[in-house]
Amino acid sequence: MATDLPMGPQLEQIHGEIRDNFRALSNGFQRLDKIKDSNRQSKQLEELTAKMRECKRLIKEFDRELKDEEGRNPPEVNKQLNDEKQSMIKELNSYVALRKTYMNTLGNKRVELFDMGAGVSEPTADENVQVASSMSNQELINAGTKTMDETDQAIVRTQKVVEQTIEVGTQTAVTLKGQTDQMGRIVNELDTINFSIKKASQLVKEIGRQVATDKCIMFFLFLIVCGVIAIIIVKVVNPNNKDIRDIPGLAPPAPTRRLLWAAEHFD
C-alpha cells in the first residue's frame, strides 16, 4: 500500500496489512448492525475479535521495526512514524470499545438466563427454554463456566475475609492478653507500694513515740540537774543554812573543812 510517510519496505508492508485489517473491521461492524440473529452476531464478533488480535500483533511488529530504523531516519521522520503508530493504536482501541458495546448488548440477551441480580425478575421456565434454545452448546457451556468462575471467586473472597477476620481476632486477643498481664503487674506494684507506705507510717509513729519518750526522760533529767545546781548554789551562798542537807559526794563548806583539818592535825 502506497503511503506518504517515508518508511522502509518492511515497515511499509506491515503498515499496509494494519490498514487492510482496519478496513475489514470497519466493514465487519457495519454488517453486524444488519444481522438480527444472535448466533450469527456472535460468530461475526468472534471474527472481528480475531482481526483485532491480528492488528495488535502487527502494531507491535511495526513498533519493533520502527525502533530498528530510528537510527537511520531523521528526527522529523521518526516523529511522523511515531504519530502514525499512536493513531493506529487509538483506532484499534476504538474498535475494541465498539466490540465491548456489542458484546454487552448480546450478553444482555443471552446471559440473562444466568443473571439473577437485584432488580431483575426471575425468568419463567418457558423463557429459559427459549433463551437456551437460541444459544449454542458452546455458548451455554461458556455462560455456565463463567457463572461458576464468578461463584468460585466469590467463595475465595469470602474465605479471605474470614481468614482476615480470624487473624484480626487473634491479634486482638493477644493484645488484650498483654494488656491484662500489664494491668496485673501494675496492681501488684500498687499493692507493694501501699504495703510500703503502711510500714513507713508505722515506723514514723514508732519513731515519734520513741522521740516523745526520750524528750520526757531528758526533761526529767534536766529538772534533776537544775535542782542539784540550785542546791549547790544555795549551799555556796549560805553555807550555815541548816535547812538544806548536804548532798552526798559534795565537798562540805570551807569552815567545816578547816575544822576537820585542825582535828586531824591536833595531835
Side-chain angles (χ1 to χ4, degrees):
M1 176 182 173
T3 179
D4 296 335
L5 294 173
M7 59 182 71
Q10 184 67 23
L11 201 62
E12 185 175 359
Q13 180 182 355
I14 297 171
H15 183 267
E17 293 178 4
I18 293 172
R19 286 301 172 188
D20 291 340
N21 279 290
F22 280 161
R23 282 194 297 273
L25 286 171
S26 178
N27 296 330
F29 279 111
Q30 290 177 3
R31 289 195 302 271
L32 190 62
D33 291 333
K34 300 177 183 179
I35 298 174
K36 303 301 180 182
D37 183 62
S38 58
N39 290 329
R40 291 180 59 193
Q41 286 181 345
S42 178
K43 292 179 181 179
Q44 181 69 14
L45 281 174
E46 290 177 359
E47 294 177 0
L48 294 175
T49 302
K51 289 286 185 183
M52 293 178 196
R53 293 195 186 99
E54 180 65 15
C55 286
K56 183 178 179 180
R57 183 189 66 81
L58 290 172
I59 290 174
K60 288 183 178 179
E61 189 175 349
F62 182 87
D63 184 59
R64 286 194 297 269
E65 291 293 333
L66 179 60
K67 290 179 179 178
D68 291 339
E69 294 185 4
E70 275 185 353
R72 299 190 296 271
N73 294 332
E76 295 81 4
V77 174
N78 289 330
K79 184 178 183 303
Q80 292 177 0
L81 293 175
N82 281 315
D83 291 342
E84 178 65 17
K85 181 189 70 173
Q86 295 298 327
S87 175
M88 292 187 295
I89 292 173
K90 290 180 181 179
E91 188 172 355
L92 177 60
N93 289 335
S94 66
Y95 287 123
V96 171
L98 188 60
R99 171 189 171 275
K100 185 176 180 181
T101 302
Y102 278 102
M103 288 294 292
N104 290 335
T105 304
L106 186 61
N108 290 334
K109 295 178 182 178
R110 295 186 172 184
V111 184
E112 189 178 11
L113 175 63
F114 304 95
D115 188 4
M116 300 298 175
V120 179
S121 60
E122 184 177 356
T124 63
D126 293 337
E127 291 174 347
N128 285 339
V129 171
Q130 292 177 359
V131 175
S133 62
S134 65
M135 300 173 66
S136 63
N137 291 334
Q138 186 61 40
E139 290 172 344
L140 286 170
I141 292 172
N142 292 337
T145 303
K146 180 180 178 182
T147 304
M148 288 188 293
D149 290 340
E150 292 175 352
T151 304
D152 292 338
Q153 292 175 2
I155 292 173
V156 170
R157 289 194 297 269
T158 304
Q159 290 176 346
K160 289 182 178 179
V161 171
V162 171
E163 291 174 357
Q164 292 175 356
T165 304
I166 293 173
E167 184 178 357
V168 171
T170 304
Q171 293 176 355
T172 304
V174 172
T175 303
L176 290 175
K177 185 178 182 301
Q179 292 178 352
T180 303
D181 294 340
Q182 186 177 3
M183 289 298 295
R185 290 193 296 269
I186 292 173
V187 170
N188 293 334
E189 291 176 357
L190 290 175
D191 291 340
T192 303
I193 293 172
N194 187 26
F195 179 76
S196 300
I197 291 173
K198 289 182 179 179
K199 292 291 289 183
S201 299
Q202 293 176 358
L203 182 61
V204 169
K205 290 179 181 179
E206 186 68 23
I207 292 172
R209 286 195 295 268
Q210 292 179 359
V211 168
T213 303
D214 293 342
K215 286 184 178 180
C216 291
I217 294 172
M218 292 295 294
F219 178 72
F220 285 122
L221 290 175
F222 177 74
L223 291 177
I224 292 170
V225 171
C226 289
V228 172
I229 293 173
I231 294 172
I232 293 172
I233 293 173
V234 171
K235 293 291 288 183
V236 171
V237 173
N238 190 6
N240 297 322
N241 190 351
K242 301 299 183 179
D243 295 333
I244 302 175
R245 299 178 58 185
D246 293 335
I247 300 174
L250 185 66
T256 305
R257 288 200 302 270
R258 285 194 294 270
L259 291 173
L260 291 174
W261 182 85
E264 290 177 358
H265 293 82
F266 179 77
D267 294 338

